[in-house]
Amino acid sequence: MTLGSLWQLFARETKGWMVGGTVSVLAGVAVGLPAVTGFLANGESELSLLLSSLAFSLGGGYAVLFPGIRVGHSTLRILRDWKQHPLSGKVLWILSHAVAVTGLVTCILAGGGNPSLPGLLIWLFMGPYLALTGWATAVLGMAANVRLADSEAGQRDAAARAAGAKATDR
């Protein structure tokens, strides 16, 4: 299973929310970086940049996360089925956690220099973390759904062959 083949299985509205959310997260980070840079240079930052960065980054992250969770609602078992998951989903899952840890460490280190800085940095990491987690969950969940459908189809075929064999024996 490739990422492209799984992408074709998503519903159109799911694709729209995930792509739109990803674009929103990127816009939020792009708007937030000058706000943080301005804070580091002047000791203060423009509130409109901070609020728009917050809205775009977190709103976009959740816009990706919720459809991603909906795709892999009940059939997804991250650790138990790890060897069966597609590589793209594994990479996204690991990358999302790497972003979370990097953000945590950055905020802790930045808090030592200026106690206000972690509050400015948190959504620059939180939005991408939510978006990556949503993408990973969607890819892993869709792959699990495909595996489940394939196994159910195989069971139906086996049952039909067994019923056909019994009918020919009579």
Side-chain angles (χ1 to χ4, degrees), residues 6-99:
L6 290 172
W7 178 251
Q8 297 301 317
L9 298 175
F10 290 154
R12 191 169 79 182
E13 54 273 353
T14 300
K15 290 179 185 180
W17 277 104
M18 293 185 75
V19 169
T22 302
V23 170
S24 179
V25 166
L26 294 175
V29 170
V31 169
L33 286 176
V36 171
T37 305
F39 180 81
L40 291 174
N42 304 334
E44 60 184 52
S45 189
E46 190 173 334
L47 186 60
S48 63
L49 286 177
L50 292 173
L51 291 178
S52 60
S53 174
L54 171 71
F56 282 128
S57 189
L58 290 181
Y62 284 116
V64 174
L65 182 65
F66 292 143
I69 291 172
R70 189 179 61 217
V71 167
H73 50 87
S74 64
T75 59
L76 181 58
R77 294 177 185 89
I78 300 290
L79 296 177
R80 186 165 59 172
D81 296 339
W82 186 256
K83 291 181 181 181
Q84 297 175 355
H85 293 313
L87 180 62
S88 56
K90 291 179 190 179
V91 168
L92 287 169
W93 188 256
I94 291 169
L95 186 60
S96 71
H97 286 78
V99 167

